[in-house]
Amino acid sequence: MEGKSYQRLPRVKIRDMRDDYLKFELRDTDARVANALRRVMIAEVPTVAIDLVEIEINSSVLNDEFIAHRLGLIPLTSDRAMSMRFSRDCDACDGDGQCEFCSVEFHLRAKCHSDQTLDVTSKDLLSSDHTVVPVDFSDSSGFESSEQKGIIIVKLRRGQELRLRAIARKGIGKDHAKWSPAATVTFMYEPDIRINEELMDTLTLEEKKAWVESSPTKVFDIDPKTDKVVVVEPEAYTYDDEVIKKAEAMGKSGLVDITAREDSFIFTVESTGAIKAAQLLLNAIEVLKQKLDAVRLSEDTVEADDQFGELGAHMRGG
């Protein structure tokens, strides 16, 4: 399908949506745009994560660097990350990264006073901003589980103590994985499956069953009323070509035609919890628009240079 061009008015259709999961269709575009959206969701949507840790007291079995690394990987609610400033660009604190516009301060104080092991978890982190707190993974069923206690940072025995101050800042996954809001983002071409009904009718019921069972995934089934082979779950097809090989082995080449729709994609998004999966998609689209605006501005700058020569470059300080 080389040389085909598609209308540049992409459409999105939501199939399944939960706080940490999103499945949607992206249509009327090509793989370049789909992959750009995937990469932006993984690496360029900003979140907030702990970036600086000052240890006051640490008598646990883990060293300071180990604890600082674990703190950095704790997902923090980042609904306001898009409106926060990057610490390197913040003029309120001269790039120090410790002001209300570009950072959030956390404190942790824990000491074990009994013979019972004390679990220090993300729920022990006290935030200076109620909108930026460790993600709560507990469910509403009321069942007590380890997840409801938070993410374990360290375990303390009698007499051991941990006291620290931490600064969380805005960042993107391209700089460090701790800022990535996505656990995974994948997309696949939507398959277009067409069965040759005339050729299929020449098969016996047993041959149809053998052909259907040759697929590793449940893509096809046999209608019990008509004994016809039908497509039940086209998205389950993994482009393994097993049914095509089976048809050729049966001497029925051309029994099914399977192609990938190059203008239609099915996305699966899983969030770390820092941002809801649906918001992650919206933020990614916004970031992609900003990047395209930057490209357009760059093109305008090149055109100005062509028109005004050295004058245009001089006016920009070049």
Side-chain angles (χ1 to χ4, degrees):
M1 291 191 167
E2 249 180 276
K4 267 199 173 183
S5 62
Y6 298 102
Q7 184 183 18
R8 289 299 187 268
L9 290 174
R11 294 181 293 117
V12 173
K13 179 182 178 182
I14 305 297
R15 289 193 175 185
D16 188 13
M17 182 171 63
R18 298 191 292 274
D19 282 353
D20 60 349
Y21 178 83
L22 180 67
K23 190 171 187 179
F24 66 92
E25 300 172 6
L26 178 65
R27 297 182 181 276
D28 297 335
T29 187
D30 57 29
R32 292 169 294 182
V33 174
N35 196 45
L37 183 61
R38 181 189 70 87
R39 291 171 66 95
V40 167
M41 279 194 275
I42 292 172
E44 299 198 51
V45 171
T47 63
V48 179
I50 290 175
D51 193 41
L52 174 67
V53 179
E54 296 176 352
I55 306 285
E56 296 178 30
I57 299 175
N58 177 24
S59 55
S60 72
V61 296
L62 299 184
N63 59 44
D64 295 355
E65 292 82 3
F66 204 114
I67 291 175
H69 182 259
R70 291 181 66 81
L71 288 168
L73 295 178
I74 294 173
L76 306 176
T77 53
S78 305
D79 294 331
R80 74 179 189 93
M82 290 287 283
S83 61
M84 285 178 66
R85 303 173 186 174
F86 286 103
S87 57
R88 60 179 178 270
D89 301 327
C90 185
D91 53 6
C93 60
D94 296 325
D96 185 42
Q98 297 190 39
C99 73
E100 60 180 322
F101 301 106
C102 68
S103 67
V104 177
E105 188 171 321
F106 288 85
H107 290 274
L108 189 152
R109 293 178 177 85
K111 186 173 182 178
C112 183
H113 298 282
S114 69
D115 292 330
Q116 187 77 23
T117 300
L118 175 66
D119 292 341
V120 181
T121 72
S122 56
K123 290 196 173 183
D124 294 312
L125 284 168
L126 303 178
S127 174
S128 62
D129 185 342
H130 70 278
T131 65
V132 181
V133 295
V135 174
D136 184 6
F137 292 102
S138 60
D139 55 30
S140 56
S141 62
F143 178 73
E144 183 70 18
S145 66
S146 59
E147 287 185 347
Q148 288 183 298
K149 300 175 184 176
I151 300 169
I152 292 180
I153 300 169
V154 68
K155 295 188 176 185
L156 302 179
R157 295 292 288 175
R158 178 186 280 277
Q160 293 180 336
E161 184 178 3
L162 179 63
R163 192 183 303 169
L164 59 86
R165 170 178 173 267
I167 301 296
R169 295 169 178 151
K170 175 180 177 178
I172 58 175
K174 185 186 286 187
D175 295 332
H176 194 287
K178 67 184 178 183
W179 278 300
S180 177
T184 181
V185 180
T186 63
F187 73 83
M188 63 173 285
Y189 289 98
E190 185 176 2
D192 185 12
I193 303 174
R194 299 178 184 179
I195 297 173
N196 187 327
E197 297 294 348
E198 292 182 7
L199 204 54
M200 186 63 75
D201 288 340
T202 63
L203 299 181
T204 65
L205 183 59
E206 291 302 318
E207 288 175 326
K208 289 179 181 178
K209 287 181 179 179
W211 183 80
V212 167
E213 291 171 358
S214 68
S215 175
T217 52
K218 189 71 173 178
V219 180
F220 306 95
D221 202 356
I222 297 177
D223 190 321
K225 294 181 180 179
T226 62
D227 288 342
K228 286 185 174 291
V229 176
V230 293
V231 180
V232 291
E233 190 65 43
E235 292 163 30
Y237 185 67
T238 56
Y239 297 95
D240 47 64
D241 290 343
E242 289 298 323
V243 290
I244 295 175
K245 293 174 185 175
K246 180 65 174 178
E248 291 174 351
M250 297 168 66
K252 302 292 183 180
S253 182
L255 185 63
V256 65
D257 179 41
I258 304 175
T259 57
R261 296 180 179 175
E262 297 193 1
D263 65 338
S264 184
F265 309 90
I266 301 167
F267 274 77
T268 301
V269 180
E270 293 181 20
S271 168
T272 61
I275 304 173
K276 290 183 179 179
Q279 191 61 47
L280 172 55
L281 172 61
L282 295 175
N283 289 359
I285 292 172
E286 183 61 32
V287 170
L288 194 54
K289 286 168 62 179
Q290 292 172 5
K291 292 171 75 70
L292 292 173
D293 286 342
V295 171
R296 187 181 298 114
L297 179 62
S298 176
E299 288 179 350
D300 292 343
T301 302
V302 171
E303 290 178 5
D305 285 352
D306 291 340
Q307 185 174 357
F308 299 107
E310 295 180 1
L311 177 60
H314 175 73
M315 290 176 67
R316 298 196 316 277

